């Protein structure tokens, strides 16, 4: 596929809806586990959370993987932050690394992760990153 410099509002809305449904389903599960007051279930959910949300970050990135650098820019914006997170999950054993192109500044990022930090996203972190990603993506790519 060729690089993309724009996405339709429908493409973005479709991905946003998928993310919202998944977050809603997770929150319902977390509430049910909390209501059950079962320590084994709580431990299992706690172990699942970073695995699930790391993979959700990869899935979110995949929807828009062909975005062009000339549109995303080279700063550490949320679109580029997701790119770094995804690359690090796939190719660096889940440890955040930068690259030679994106000027990532941890203090200005959504997740505040430092290079060398292990990526273990919580539901709240993924939610913040997804919201920032969609806002940035819409500003740059939806015409």
């Amino acid at each position: 596929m060729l690089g993309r410099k724009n996405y339709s509002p429908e493409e973005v809305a479709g991905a946003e809806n998928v993310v919202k449904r998944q977050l809603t389903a997770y929150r319902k599960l977390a509430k049910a586990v909390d209501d059950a007051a079962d320590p084994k279930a709580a431990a299992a959910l706690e172990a699942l959370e970073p695995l699930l949300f790391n993979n959700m970050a990869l899935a979110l990135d995949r929807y828009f993987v062909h975005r062009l650098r000339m549109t995303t820019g080279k700063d550490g914006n949320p679109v580029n932050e997701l790119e770094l997170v995804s690359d690090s999950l796939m190719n660096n054993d889940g440890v955040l690394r930068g690259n030679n192109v994106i000027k990532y500044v941890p203090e200005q990022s959504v997740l505040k992760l430092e290079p060398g930090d292990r990526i273990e996203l919580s539901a709240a972190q993924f939610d913040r990153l997804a919201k920032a990603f969609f806002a940035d993506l819409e500003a740059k790519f939806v015409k």
Side-chain angles (χ1 to χ4, degrees), residues 77-92:
N77 62 62
V79 170
N80 287 339
E81 185 174 354
L82 180 62
E83 178 183 337
L84 292 176
V85 166
S86 296
D87 177 64
S88 297
L89 287 168
M90 290 187 303
N91 301 312
N92 200 40

Side-chain angles (χ1 to χ4, degrees), residues 5-82:
K5 60 183 178 179
N6 58 51
Y7 292 98
S8 71
E10 295 79 17
E11 288 174 295
V12 176
E16 280 182 300
N17 286 333
V18 169
V19 166
K20 286 177 186 174
R21 286 195 333 260
Q22 291 172 335
L23 280 165
T24 297
Y26 176 81
R27 289 179 179 131
K28 285 180 183 177
L29 174 62
K31 182 174 180 349
V33 167
D34 190 45
D35 290 348
D38 180 343
K40 285 184 180 180
L45 185 65
E46 185 177 335
L48 172 68
E49 186 175 19
L51 300 173
L52 175 64
F53 289 103
N54 282 1
N55 279 301
M56 284 182 63
L58 290 172
L60 176 57
D61 184 65
R62 182 69 182 131
Y63 277 96
F64 305 100
V65 72
H66 296 292
R67 55 197 183 259
L68 290 174
R69 178 74 56 220
M70 64 186 236
T71 307
T72 63
K74 295 182 180 181
D75 62 326
N77 62 62
V79 170
N80 287 339
E81 185 174 354
L82 180 62

